[in-house]
Structures are given as structure tokens and as C-alpha cells.
């Protein structure tokens, strides 16, 4: 079974250079959208789509994906607190199944537990009005989801680089230490 980390690495490594990622927070009434930079390091809130029907909603996503040269989609997967999938997760997967023939981009599902709560708390701490919170929370949740995936990818890459450096240092030490562990001049 492939791990979530392996799935993330394969997803991002398969993208064309400088392709952006789009984060999506799919709700029943809105779809929050976020966009990565071309270096896939920073997620920025983009827009909140007021859901109407599937076809116009997907049309807007397709338009934005084309405009910003998006290479992959990161969908927030609303898991239950115990990590299982419930009705909202199933609805998200169904949306993606119907989207795939219309927008054939690679898709990664990313755990979105607590994203809306974290974003709402941040907006409350910033003393944002109720109207501003309502307008911003979905696209900010999408950015939070996307940033989580980007940060995890960067951490995996840093850990891999550290492991390579450590292996290289061990190889150098092994080459400098003579058999028997004595000094070279003995």
C-alpha cells in the first residue's frame, strides 16, 4: 500500500516545471479556491465560488485552471475526527469523479480536518467582521489545505536531502578510516 507521503511526492514530482497547484475546499454552498506560486511553495487564497449547479461550478474551475496554468488539483478531504470517511468525504470523491472527464488534471486528496475552524479562529483573532469572515473563510481554508500539502512536500524533500548528506558523510568517513581502525601512518 502506498503511503500518503509517497502519494504526495509522486503527485508533485509528476507536475511539469512551474505548474501551479489549485487547492479546493468543497462545501455544500461554496467552493473555496487557492493557488500556489509557480515554485509550489506558497498558497494564496484565490476566490470563493457560490455553488449553483455542477456544470457552471466546474466551468469556473476550468476557466481559472486554464488562466493560471494549473497542473494539479489538491482537494480537501473532510475526514471524520477519527480519520474515517463519512458522507462529506464521499460527496467530495463523487464530485472529483464527475470532474475528471471535464478537467483531466491529476488530483490529490488532502486531509482538511480543522481547516475551517483554524481559519475562522484566525479571522476572529484579526477582528474581521462577520461579513468579511463569511467572504474569506472558504478561500482561506482552501489556501490552508494547499499550504499543508506544500509544507509536507517541502519537509519530505528536506528530510531526504539530510539523509543523503548523512550517507555521503558516512561514506567519506569509511574511506578515511583504515581497516582495523588504526591511524593511516601506522
Amino acid at each position: 500500500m502506498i503511503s500518503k507521503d509517497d502519494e504526495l511526492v509522486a503527485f508533485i514530482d509528476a507536475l511539469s516545471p512551474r505548474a501551479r497547484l489549485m487547492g479546493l475546499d468543497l462545501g455544500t454552498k461554496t467552493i473555496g479556491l487557492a493557488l500556489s506560486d509557480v515554485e509550489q511553495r506558497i498558497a494564496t487564497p484565490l476566490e470563493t465560488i457560490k455553488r449553483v449547479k455542477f456544470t457552471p461550478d466546474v466551468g469556473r474551475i476550468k476557466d481559472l485552471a486554464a488562466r493560471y496554468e494549473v497542473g494539479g488539483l489538491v482537494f480537501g478531504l473532510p475526514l471524520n475526527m477519527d480519520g474515517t470517511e463519512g458522507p462529506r468525504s464521499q460527496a467530495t470523491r463523487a464530485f472529483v469523479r464527475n470532474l475528471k472527464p471535464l478537467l483531466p488534471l491529476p488530483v490529490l486528496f488532502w486531509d482538511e480536518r480543522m481547516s475551517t475552524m483554524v481559519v475562522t479562529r484566525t479571522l476572529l483573532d484579526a477582528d474581521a467582521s462577520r461579513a468579511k469572515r463569511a467572504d474569506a473563510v472558504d478561500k482561506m481554508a482552501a489556501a490552508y489545505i494547499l499550504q499543508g500539502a506544500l509544507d509536507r512536500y517541502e519537509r519530505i524533500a528536506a528530510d531526504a536531502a539530510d539523509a543523503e548528506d548523512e550517507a555521503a558523510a558516512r561514506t567519506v568517513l569509511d574511506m578515511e578510516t583504515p581497516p582495523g581502525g588504526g591511524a593511516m601512518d601506522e
Side-chain angles (χ1 to χ4, degrees):
M1 182 174 186
I2 188 168
S3 76
K4 290 305 275 177
D5 284 351
D6 291 341
E7 188 178 339
L8 172 64
V9 169
F11 172 76
I12 292 182
D13 286 352
L15 296 172
S16 61
R18 304 189 61 76
R20 296 175 188 266
L21 289 171
M22 181 180 282
L24 297 97
D25 180 30
L26 188 65
T28 55
K29 296 178 182 170
T30 60
I31 302 171
L33 303 175
L35 201 60
S36 77
D37 63 328
V38 295
E39 294 177 356
Q40 300 155 358
R41 294 184 188 275
I42 300 169
T44 305
L46 180 62
E47 157 175 333
T48 299
I49 298 171
K50 303 287 185 220
R51 293 191 69 178
V52 183
K53 288 188 176 180
F54 180 79
T55 302
D57 296 347
V58 169
R60 183 67 184 146
I61 294 168
K62 283 177 61 174
D63 290 347
L64 291 168
R67 180 189 311 163
Y68 292 107
E69 299 176 0
V70 170
L73 306 172
V74 178
F75 271 86
L77 190 63
L79 299 174
N80 295 324
M81 291 310 291
D82 65 0
T84 60
E85 292 189 22
R88 290 297 315 140
S89 292
Q90 293 168 0
T92 299
R93 289 188 184 278
F95 183 92
V96 170
R97 267 193 310 276
N98 294 327
L99 172 72
K100 286 293 250 178
L102 304 171
L103 184 59
L105 292 175
V107 171
L108 177 75
F109 291 104
W110 194 254
D111 184 354
E112 72 161 43
R113 282 180 283 186
M114 310 296 283
S115 61
T116 301
M117 187 192 78
V118 169
V119 168
T120 300
R121 175 137 347 244
T122 301
L123 290 169
L124 284 169
D125 290 347
D127 207 24
S129 69
R130 184 181 301 267
K132 284 185 181 179
R133 286 195 313 266
D135 184 49
V137 72
D138 296 308
K139 63 185 174 185
M140 287 182 68
Y144 183 85
I145 292 162
L146 180 55
Q147 191 65 55
L150 296 173
D151 288 349
R152 182 65 190 143
Y153 178 78
E154 196 165 309
R155 181 75 250 154
I156 292 167
D159 288 350
D162 289 349
E164 285 179 20
D165 291 347
E166 191 174 308
R170 266 193 302 247
T171 301
V172 168
L173 285 175
D174 289 346
M175 291 171 50
E176 293 174 353
T177 306
M184 294 288 251
D185 295 338
E186 291 179 11

